[in-house]
Amino acid sequence: NSVDSAELIDGAIDTSHLASGVGGIAIQHRYSSTRTQYVSTSTTAAAVANLAVTITPTDATNNLLVTVGVAINRRQTATGTRLWLYRDIGGAGFTIMDGIPIIYYGGYGNEDTISDAHNNVFFQYLDYDSTSVVTYKLYYALSNGSGTVKINSNGSLSTITATEHKV
């Protein structure tokens, strides 16, 4: 017997009726995006304030997959951009995840002109062990040296999503 999608209604099949070994089902998905431009000439991490996503896991055994897509612009002598993912669990305050930059983007370019280097960077982080409300936020900084780095120059779009997966 077969059943096509036209015969299924929401809730018709729950996870207890799936074949063994079937997992990774998306339970919920949260999304945020911004076109707001952020500019830095500092090596000190700063929040991309409008790029945050909040999710409340339904079960501590489930995984949270966080996906970030960020539009980076490096101008002149800036040697690159560092990105960090910060997390706040239950309102306790934001802390850096794993303590090191998630991505180090070198982005070296033609330093004797005013040319820009534009890049879209994507990364994912797998989190777990919480049933408290969790907020994820992106931070960024100039890698080292001097110059200017920008997030979302020229109206670019950056995104962050959090998806809870049943394990």
Side-chain angles (χ1 to χ4, degrees):
N1 285 341
S2 66
V3 178
D4 65 33
S5 60
E7 297 175 82
L8 292 178
I9 59 170
D10 285 345
I13 301 174
D14 60 27
T15 56
S16 66
H17 291 93
L18 295 175
S20 64
V22 174
I25 298 168
I27 304 294
Q28 60 175 317
H29 182 80
R30 301 290 180 262
Y31 169 85
S32 177
S33 66
T34 184
R35 290 187 187 276
T36 301
Q37 179 175 275
Y38 294 85
V39 180
S40 180
T41 58
S42 174
T43 57
T44 302
V48 179
N50 291 343
L51 196 59
V53 66
T54 301
I55 191 168
T56 304
T58 59
D59 190 315
T61 63
N62 291 343
N63 290 329
L64 295 173
L65 180 63
V66 182
T67 304
V68 178
V70 60
I72 296 173
N73 168 264
R74 188 238 0 117
R75 183 160 182 109
Q76 294 173 320
T77 60
T79 57
T81 306
R82 289 184 290 167
L83 302 172
W84 297 268
L85 190 60
Y86 276 63
R87 171 180 63 190
D88 176 4
I89 300 176
F94 283 95
T95 56
I96 191 170
M97 298 185 71
D98 292 335
I100 58 172
I102 296 242
I103 284 184
Y104 176 91
Y105 174 69
Y108 293 97
N110 187 352
E111 294 184 8
D112 61 350
T113 69
I114 60 168
S115 62
D116 293 351
H118 296 270
N119 298 92
N120 292 311
V121 177
F122 296 88
F123 64 90
Q124 294 183 312
Y125 190 93
L126 189 61
D127 201 8
Y128 54 90
D129 289 341
S130 179
T131 55
S132 297
V133 60
V134 182
T135 301
Y136 298 95
K137 186 182 287 189
L138 183 70
Y139 282 67
Y140 78 110
L142 179 68
S143 294
N144 53 41
S146 64
T148 302
V149 293
K150 297 177 183 179
I151 304 294
N152 294 341
S153 65
N154 303 320
S156 298
L157 179 70
S158 291
T159 63
I160 186 168
T161 61
T163 306
E164 180 182 9
H165 293 271
K166 184 170 183 64
V167 177

